Amino acid sequence: MSSVNVRVAAVERVTPLVKHFTLVREDGSRLPPFSGGSHVVVSMDAGGKVYRNAYSLMGSPADTNAYHISVRRQERSRGGSLFMHDKVVEGSVLQITLPTNLFAISRMGRKHILIAGGIGITPFMSQLHDIERNGFDYELHYAFRSPEHGAFADQLKARCGERAHYYIDSEEQKLDIRAVLSRQPLGTHVYVCGPGPMVTAVLETAHDLGWPQRHIHSEQFGAPPGGEPFNVTLAKSGLVVEVAGDTSMLQALEQAGAEIDSLCRGGACGRCMVEVLETDGELLHHDDYLSEAEKASGKKMMPCVSRARCTHLLVNL
Amino acid sequence: MERGYKIRSKPDYQSLTWREHALAHVVVAKGKGGMAVLQLFQQMYPRQPVKVLYIRDKDESVDYATTLTKLIGEGLQCFDSEQEGLYAFFRMLSDCHMGTQFYMSGTESFIWSAVKLAKLHGVQEDDVMKQMMASLSRPVYCVHCKGMTTDITTNIATCRKCGRKLFVRDHFSRLLGAYMGLQVDAEDPGEVPEIEEIYP
């Protein structure tokens, strides 16, 4: 996949855990335009180990001079966010993929409900530009831990006014998903980005209230869950790749030089799907792409988030 | 018709069944479509709020209004004209919330007149449950003058707007909610093939 070298033009601390990075093209030219809700995958070369993390673009799609991403520090993760926080400074050079959008505003929609939890606010920062430009009706519901953790909350309040609703956990304010989703006019679409349980709660509530599937949109860039180490055998080369407990199978395959394509790295897009030829154990599916039937068949898996518990796993790579 | 050949643009209709997950239900039916509504209420009377709009068809001998009134009670509104009924439905749409499920039954012309109103409120056509009742008659769109002629039972229709003789194609447009009608005697004016009833 084509990628671009970018230079970090500015780093700003937004909350105790979130940093905002401004990225410009290393050669000084303009970056490609994108649509609201897009993300890029940032590659970080940490002395031999390459981290690849997906981050939403937050800036205006009309501004192609710079891309803006925000990174939350995740202490218990594979290390990408720690690298961004501790090692990346103004002037650092990173590699990013071209923007991809799996979380765009539906143009069929007459109203849009944006639900964010914590750092899940970032895709909405660029989606809001598209919403404003089209003059769509919307509501923003933003839940965060405590006042100092509400990244961009003041900026958004100034921008969205009464359309912005905040729920601060430390002040015991709670988002009532069912109430919000029960009072929306026909033609409304809902978008959720945040921690797993929040995303699940929104999806389940909308489904339960009878919202059609195509009116419900979600995005989740959780770190892929770790687990027990296992080995993967590549059928074409006979190569055996070891997947460590804190590494994703995709990352391990990439490091071993396997030819594998990927896009969202979060189990949503289906690009990295591998065909499972044999296994003596169990596949641990964590993606949102495969249907329940496909997961049960044990013939396909998404190495970006899914793992296996086995002593033998043969894939068609 | 060629065997094994399926026209992909032709909508598939279903038997109405209540959707389990719903905030409310709205049922719109005309004439013999009332039977599909009666069948719905044979399944159950849903827990969620239900509104039924029923339009009597003066050209048909059947009138399910009395039976529906007994069965449904205050959730039912009856109308004597399609225009009145569809207008009431259109006005109701602005008060409906996401999660409302829509059910429609009647001729294909009626169903799509109602579907098009729902689409104006952002309801997607696929999400509306539709049961074709009474007849195979078709709504026909004149590709020349853009006029709509409803309830056509013959292979060739006379456009209600421009008077052209239209060959009724199997090509259905979901956007327009009608089958395409093309002038049948465009090459040889006046040479109109025999008109037969094929959509009784």
Side-chain angles (χ1 to χ4, degrees):
Chain A
M1 165 167 298
S2 44
S3 54
V4 207
N5 281 341
V6 290
R7 190 171 47 79
V8 177
V11 183
E12 184 199 350
R13 182 172 289 282
V14 184
T15 76
L17 290 173
V18 176
K19 277 186 177 180
H20 167 190
F21 297 85
T22 305
L23 312 175
V24 296
R25 211 162 180 153
E26 200 183 14
D27 63 12
S29 62
R30 283 177 176 265
L31 287 156
F34 62 98
S35 51
S38 295
H39 70 267
V40 294
V41 175
V42 179
S43 299
M44 298 155 249
D45 191 350
K49 190 164 183 182
V50 179
Y51 296 113
R52 288 189 182 82
N53 283 6
Y55 295 112
S56 298
L57 296 179
M58 302 195 307
S60 162
D63 176 15
T64 53
N65 286 315
Y67 284 168
H68 299 268
I69 60 170
S70 280
V71 180
R72 184 192 189 279
R73 190 183 177 94
Q74 311 279 4
E75 293 297 345
R76 283 169 304 176
S77 78
R78 298 155 305 149
S81 73
L82 295 183
F83 183 85
M84 287 296 290
H85 269 258
D86 300 338
K87 299 286 192 295
V88 176
V89 292
E90 205 178 302
S92 297
V93 172
L94 298 164
Q95 210 176 45
I96 62 169
T97 59
L98 297 178
T100 312
N101 202 344
L102 299 169
F103 199 47
I105 286 290
S106 167
R107 281 164 198 282
M108 302 286 278
R110 292 160 55 89
K111 184 178 176 183
H112 305 272
I113 305 298
L114 317 178
I115 302 180
I119 193 66
I121 192 67
T122 54
F124 298 125
M125 307 281 289
S126 61
Q127 271 193 354
L128 276 168
H129 286 279
D130 283 355
I131 286 177
E132 285 161 356
R133 200 177 54 243
N134 285 291
F136 289 140
D137 191 7
Y138 72 95
E139 289 174 18
L140 172 68
H141 298 271
Y142 182 15
F144 45 88
R145 275 160 61 175
S146 58
E148 72 272 20
H149 284 101
F152 309 105
D154 294 340
Q155 182 188 331
L156 283 165
K157 193 77 203 170
R159 187 168 165 194
C160 309
E162 290 188 348
R163 295 172 194 263
H165 307 268
Y166 293 164
Y167 309 88
I168 305 170
D169 215 23
S170 65
E171 296 176 10
E172 300 195 3
Q173 299 163 350
K174 204 170 148 28
L175 163 64
D176 185 344
I177 297 167
R178 185 164 282 268
V180 169
L181 296 185
S182 295
R183 57 161 193 255
Q184 298 307 331
L186 295 176
T188 304
H189 285 244
V190 64
Y191 307 80
V192 59
C193 185
M198 178 191 222
V199 173
T200 308
V202 170
L203 299 185
E204 282 177 359
T205 309
H207 175 70
D208 190 46
L209 290 170
W211 283 53
Q213 207 56 47
R214 73 188 111 222
H215 287 245
I216 311 169
H217 314 264
S218 66
E219 188 156 83
Q220 213 180 326
F221 286 130
E228 296 165 29
F230 61 99
N231 289 336
V232 195
T233 311
L234 310 187
K236 289 176 188 162
S237 59
L239 198 69
V240 178
V241 179
E242 202 183 308
V243 183
D246 63 347
T247 307
S248 75
M249 179 171 154
L250 176 63
Q251 214 178 353
L253 290 169
E254 285 169 344
Q255 276 162 16
E259 286 277 322
I260 185 160
D261 204 359
S262 70
L263 201 61
C264 76
R265 308 180 78 86
C269 75
R271 183 69 73 94
C272 68
M273 182 159 70
V274 297
E275 196 187 333
V276 177
L277 300 174
E278 288 171 15
T279 179
D280 63 349
E282 184 193 359
L283 300 179
L284 308 169
H285 296 285
H286 298 295
D287 64 280
D288 301 312
Y289 182 80
L290 295 174
S291 68
E292 289 308 316
E294 285 172 318
K295 287 179 186 175
S297 81
K299 292 198 167 20
K300 293 169 185 170
M301 72 185 291
M302 298 297 163
C304 59
V305 290
S306 300
R307 310 181 63 84
R309 190 185 289 128
C310 61
T311 56
H312 172 68
L313 175 66
L314 182 70
V315 298
N316 193 15
L317 278 176
Chain B
M1 195 185 278
E2 196 183 323
R3 290 173 72 161
Y5 179 69
K6 188 176 185 293
I7 293 138
R8 285 174 58 193
S9 68
K10 252 180 87 63
D12 285 323
Y13 297 94
Q14 302 148 282
S15 292
L16 300 187
T17 46
W18 295 114
R19 292 215 164 101
E20 189 189 337
H21 298 287
L23 190 73
H25 306 271
V26 173
V27 187
V28 193
K30 184 185 170 189
K32 285 186 180 156
M35 179 50 86
V37 185
L38 291 173
Q39 283 162 357
L40 258 183
F41 281 88
Q42 288 294 308
Q43 293 164 24
M44 67 165 171
Y45 200 133
R47 209 175 309 128
Q48 301 89 353
V50 184
K51 280 187 179 144
V52 179
L53 290 88
Y54 180 65
I55 298 153
R56 295 188 187 91
D57 192 337
K58 31 184 193 311
D59 302 331
E60 278 174 13
S61 51
V62 289
D63 178 358
Y64 293 111
T66 323
T67 326
L68 286 168
T69 310
K70 280 186 204 143
L71 208 60
I72 302 166
E74 62 178 288
L76 176 73
Q77 282 176 270
C78 291
F79 303 90
D80 285 319
S81 80
E82 184 172 318
Q83 205 183 350
E84 236 182 285
L86 288 179
Y87 183 60
F89 172 57
F90 185 65
R91 298 219 333 184
M92 178 190 285
L93 286 166
S94 25
D95 300 325
C96 288
H97 290 111
M98 276 304 288
T100 305
Q101 307 298 323
F102 294 94
Y103 310 83
M104 292 169 186
S105 173
T107 62
E108 211 167 4
S109 297
F110 173 74
I111 290 173
W112 287 89
S113 300
V115 164
K116 281 195 280 178
L117 294 178
K119 277 168 77 171
L120 293 173
H121 278 265
V123 177
Q124 295 184 46
E125 172 262 314
D126 269 6
D127 297 322
V128 175
M129 203 179 270
K130 310 179 262 311
Q131 181 169 0
M132 206 165 104
M133 291 291 270
S135 152
L136 296 177
S137 65
R138 295 181 163 190
V140 177
Y141 176 83
C142 174
V143 303
H144 310 284
C145 80
K146 304 186 190 329
M148 190 74 80
T149 311
T150 53
D151 294 321
I152 294 299
T153 58
T154 50
N155 57 338
I156 291 161
T158 306
C159 175
R160 205 172 63 177
K161 193 170 156 209
C162 70
R164 282 183 179 90
K165 295 287 186 213
L166 304 172
F167 172 67
V168 180
R169 294 198 57 200
D170 283 325
H171 173 194
F172 186 88
S173 158
R174 276 149 211 269
L175 183 69
L176 300 163
Y179 293 87
M180 299 296 103
L182 280 85
Q183 186 170 358
V184 74
D185 57 348
E187 308 259 324
D188 304 295
E191 295 264 316
V192 178
E194 196 187 338
I195 298 178
E196 301 169 282
E197 182 180 85
I198 58 169
Y199 309 116

